[in-house]
Amino acid sequence: MEILDASAFINEYDAGDDIATVPAVGAELDGESSYRYDALEGAGMYIHVPEEAVIGRIERAASESGDKDELSETDIELLAAAFELDAKLVTDDYAMQNVAERLDIYVEFIARDGITEQRDWDFQCQGCGRVFDENKDRCPICGSGLTRKNPS
């Protein structure tokens, strides 16, 4: 089974017969991609609503990798659906790919190359330059904002 992200509909991904997505993907689409979504739904595409416990597990994994703030609710639901249904996730989103790899979810790429390595992001203060391994609203030392930073 393949779980389709919005990019699959936008880029006219040639999906197999056994496909699914989450309800929020349909709301993200307009124009031609919306028509593709409707056509696949009419042809039997499964619309899956993931369990809250699985969504919580995905959010924890995304927090651990530092990708949580990069993911939308729809992204988290797609990851949860792929995890729950033991399915392949079809997306070009790098943050989703990073979390998927952490959870052993296979990812199919559409228009871009996939990630080449899994990352656990650091967060650097824009004021004092200190680096933290988890994201916070403000630096606990000087109060400035934090930005995501590649740990390498």
Side-chain angles (χ1 to χ4, degrees):
M1 174 174 276
E2 296 175 305
I3 306 294
L4 305 181
D5 186 9
S7 58
F9 299 98
I10 294 166
N11 291 297
E12 300 181 40
Y13 176 75
D14 187 19
D17 293 331
D18 194 15
I19 58 173
T21 193
V22 297
V25 168
E28 292 182 348
L29 301 171
D30 60 11
E32 292 292 321
S33 56
S34 177
Y35 297 136
R36 277 190 284 286
Y37 177 94
D38 292 341
L40 287 172
E41 184 178 19
M45 177 174 63
Y46 176 58
I47 307 298
H48 182 73
V49 177
E51 294 180 17
E52 286 299 318
V54 177
I55 288 173
R57 182 168 183 180
I58 302 303
E59 288 173 337
R60 284 189 299 280
S63 290
E64 290 169 5
S65 71
D67 290 301
K68 188 165 190 274
D69 290 340
E70 303 300 313
L71 298 175
S72 68
E73 287 182 34
T74 304
D75 296 340
I76 290 170
E77 289 177 7
L78 286 161
L79 285 159
F83 186 81
E84 248 180 352
L85 300 173
D86 193 27
K88 175 176 31 175
L89 178 62
V90 179
T91 185
D92 277 339
D93 185 288
Y94 289 143
M96 287 177 70
Q97 291 174 35
N98 198 41
V99 176
E101 186 162 316
R102 189 174 203 81
L103 296 165
D104 293 324
I105 297 170
Y106 181 76
V107 177
E108 177 82 21
F109 318 114
I110 303 166
R112 302 191 302 185
D113 293 335
I115 63 171
T116 57
E117 64 184 39
Q118 181 181 350
R119 293 191 177 153
D120 291 323
W121 296 97
D122 288 334
F123 299 90
Q124 186 169 25
C125 175
Q126 293 175 324
C128 67
R130 286 190 170 82
V131 176
F132 303 94
D133 61 354
E134 62 183 55
N135 196 9
K136 304 171 188 329
D137 288 335
R138 298 261 167 231
C139 174
I141 309 302
C142 73
S144 297
L146 303 181
T147 57
R148 191 166 78 151
K149 175 184 182 234
N150 188 345
S152 57

